[in-house]
Amino acid sequence: MDYWTQSLNDGYPVDIIYLDFRKAFDSVPHNRLLMKLKAYGMGGSLLRWVQNFLSGRRQRIVLNGDHSSWSTVSSGVPQGSVLGPLLFLLYVNDIPLSVDSPILLFADDAKIFRSIRCEADYLQLQRDIDILFEWSRTWLLNFNISKCYVLHLGLTHSYGNYDYYDYD
């Protein structure tokens, strides 16, 4: 809020892109999560413990007494545990390093924003959106487009408002 308020007080609009990860906690691929944990320096018995925590999980659907066969769970962080949200945050932790614009992450939501001082700022924000969508494809954690929004704060400059887009 301080960034936005300062920009508006200086006479510049701010564009904010609200992003929502689709089925975020269910979609994190275990093998890629473990790869990231190892890259962060986790190893030895702690990494094996996390691997054991994630592996061997199965699920099935029960409806009116009928049930499906058991299926192995190869993605998702266990919900209802203290460790699940932490593992998710570690999975998305590298996103801010990928973009030039300020970005805030909270649970399965992200807000990327930029003060719009000239047309180049629109273009940079669009490049950052492109980077985020590429990250989502690479790491198999897609955005729910129907829950993504653009908020424009402040006055429109002579170059107008920019229509941000994605490639999906």
Side-chain angles (χ1 to χ4, degrees):
M1 291 288 294
D2 290 338
Y3 177 97
W4 302 348
T5 303
Q6 184 62 52
S7 184
L8 294 170
N9 284 341
D10 291 344
Y12 297 107
V14 178
D15 282 357
I16 307 156
I17 315 299
Y18 288 86
L19 302 164
D20 180 81
F21 289 106
R22 179 182 301 140
K23 299 184 183 262
F25 295 100
D26 297 329
S27 301
V28 174
H30 293 166
N31 57 344
R32 291 174 186 240
L33 172 61
L34 293 168
M35 182 177 69
K36 280 193 172 197
L37 295 176
K38 189 173 184 179
Y40 288 142
M42 185 183 288
S45 59
L46 181 57
L47 185 62
R48 283 191 303 277
W49 184 86
V50 171
Q51 185 173 12
N52 288 335
F53 178 73
L54 295 172
S55 66
R57 294 182 177 274
R58 300 182 324 146
Q59 66 183 12
R60 70 178 180 171
I61 298 170
V62 178
L63 180 64
N64 294 330
D66 293 328
H67 56 82
S68 67
S69 58
W70 287 98
S71 296
T72 302
V73 176
S74 60
S75 65
V77 292
Q79 296 178 44
S81 70
V82 173
L83 194 54
L86 175 63
L87 291 173
F88 179 78
L89 289 175
L90 289 170
Y91 193 71
V92 299
N93 191 48
D94 59 331
I95 289 176
L97 302 174
S98 305
V99 295
D100 185 56
S101 300
I103 188 168
L104 301 171
L105 302 173
F106 181 76
D108 63 345
D109 297 314
K111 277 188 284 242
I112 187 165
F113 51 93
R114 191 167 196 84
S115 177
I116 307 299
R117 299 170 186 261
C118 62
E119 191 172 0
D121 290 323
Y122 286 122
L123 298 175
Q124 181 59 55
L125 189 52
Q126 180 63 59
R127 279 191 295 276
D128 289 337
I129 292 167
D130 296 343
I131 289 166
L132 290 173
F133 275 84
E134 182 60 34
W135 183 97
S136 76
R137 283 187 287 279
T138 299
W139 293 102
L140 305 177
L141 194 61
N142 296 318
F143 291 108
N144 185 348
I145 300 301
S146 67
K147 292 184 177 180
C148 296
Y149 299 97
V150 176
L151 176 62
H152 178 81
L153 297 178
L155 300 174
T156 302
H157 281 268
S158 58
Y159 41 85
N161 290 333
Y162 185 81
D163 290 326
Y164 299 99
Y165 59 90
D166 68 87
Y167 292 107
D168 288 346

